[in-house]
Amino acid sequence: MVNFLMVVFAASTGKFVCVIIETVSLVDGCPEILPDQLQAVAQSVEQQRRSVQQHPVLTCIRRHESDRAGGYTAQNRRSSASGAYQFIDSTWRTAAARAGHPGYSRAMYAPWYVQDAVALYTSNHGGRSHWNGSGC
């Protein structure tokens, strides 16, 4: 039995989330992680996702861009902009790839936590001008 530290990297914030799992059995030299220990990891990841979602800048942008228009599934009727942060499709694909979340052709198709992660990454890496008109 050993103590085991699991580290999950949150690309959206550039921070590590650490979970200490105590008294883990080793099976063939690898940690045997029990279901309740996996639950602790899942809870830590969920807490990290929620903390990103509650970031003041993201909350402000969502309020101005999409809260009354469908939130994370919002679709602009006059352009390709979609999702909680109203990314135009071409901008979304570029920003999502840079933030480490490629694979979603439109923002509205990405899960809420991916949209939050891409928006925070964009905001933190010089892309806040996309939302200048929102006042955030």
Side-chain angles (χ1 to χ4, degrees):
M1 298 295 238
V2 297
N3 288 339
F4 181 69
L5 173 66
M6 181 171 278
V7 179
V8 179
F9 182 70
S12 58
T13 61
K15 296 181 181 177
F16 291 92
V17 177
C18 298
V19 180
I20 296 175
I21 302 173
E22 296 179 2
T23 61
V24 175
S25 299
L26 293 180
V27 177
D28 294 327
C30 296
E32 178 183 23
I33 301 174
L34 303 175
D36 61 327
Q37 295 165 329
L38 286 175
Q39 182 65 30
V41 171
Q43 287 174 343
S44 293
V45 169
E46 181 66 17
Q47 283 178 324
Q48 175 64 23
R49 288 175 174 170
R50 292 295 176 187
S51 72
V52 170
Q53 185 182 44
Q54 295 167 6
H55 190 283
V57 170
L58 297 187
T59 301
C60 179
I61 294 168
R62 281 194 313 272
R63 187 175 335 114
H64 289 282
E65 295 287 348
S66 67
D67 275 358
R68 292 182 299 272
Y72 291 95
T73 60
Q75 167 61 60
N76 189 309
R77 290 187 294 256
R78 294 182 305 248
S79 74
S80 69
S82 71
Y85 304 96
Q86 291 295 288
F87 278 97
I88 294 170
D89 289 349
S90 59
T91 303
W92 167 259
R93 287 188 294 272
T94 301
R98 286 184 181 153
H101 298 281
Y104 301 98
S105 61
R106 307 191 70 205
M108 65 188 288
Y109 299 150
W112 65 269
Y113 55 88
V114 170
Q115 291 185 45
D116 290 344
V118 172
L120 186 60
Y121 179 90
T122 300
S123 176
N124 288 343
H125 291 86
R128 196 176 286 190
S129 65
H130 296 295
W131 299 292
N132 275 348
S134 68
C136 298

